Amino acid sequence: MFDTTDTQNLFAVNRNLHTGGPWTTDITVAVGSQAINLSEISLDAYIFTNGGVSQPFSRDFDLTIDLLDSTKTSVLATNSVVNLFPNSNTTPNPYL
């Protein structure tokens, strides 16, 4: 995990997505005894250099989200976004 000025208040994984391959994480939602109606999840994606500063150029970035049941054994829903950023070392990062 990064802990730099650019990554403050972000879940910033120190992993090279190009050479390190995919990674996963779980985000648990504890709802207690009452049911909830979950209709939307919003995530932001940022690309950082290996020094933890905002990457000046875009990198290939794909995202898959699986909504699991409470036992984490059954997928209730899944969605993929492919090529969130273009795979280019010359295209400027759209978030800078």
Side-chain angles (χ1 to χ4, degrees), residues 38-91:
L38 183 63
S39 61
E40 185 176 321
I41 295 174
S42 177
L43 300 171
D44 293 322
Y46 301 92
I47 306 293
F48 298 101
T49 68
N50 61 357
V53 297
S54 295
Q55 181 66 258
F57 299 108
S58 291
R59 299 291 189 257
D60 183 38
F61 185 82
D62 304 329
L63 181 67
T64 300
I65 299 171
D66 294 328
L67 181 61
L68 305 175
D69 69 358
S70 60
T71 65
K72 297 185 181 180
T73 58
S74 295
V75 176
L76 302 175
T78 188
N79 193 12
S80 293
V81 180
V82 178
N83 294 325
L84 222 86
F85 298 123
N87 186 12
S88 168
N89 286 329
T90 58
T91 303

Side-chain angles (χ1 to χ4, degrees), residues 1-4 7-8 10 12-15 48-53:
M1 301 293 287
F2 282 120
D3 185 17
T4 63
T7 62
Q8 292 302 298
L10 299 173
V13 178
N14 184 357
R15 183 174 181 91
F48 298 101
T49 68
N50 61 357
V53 297

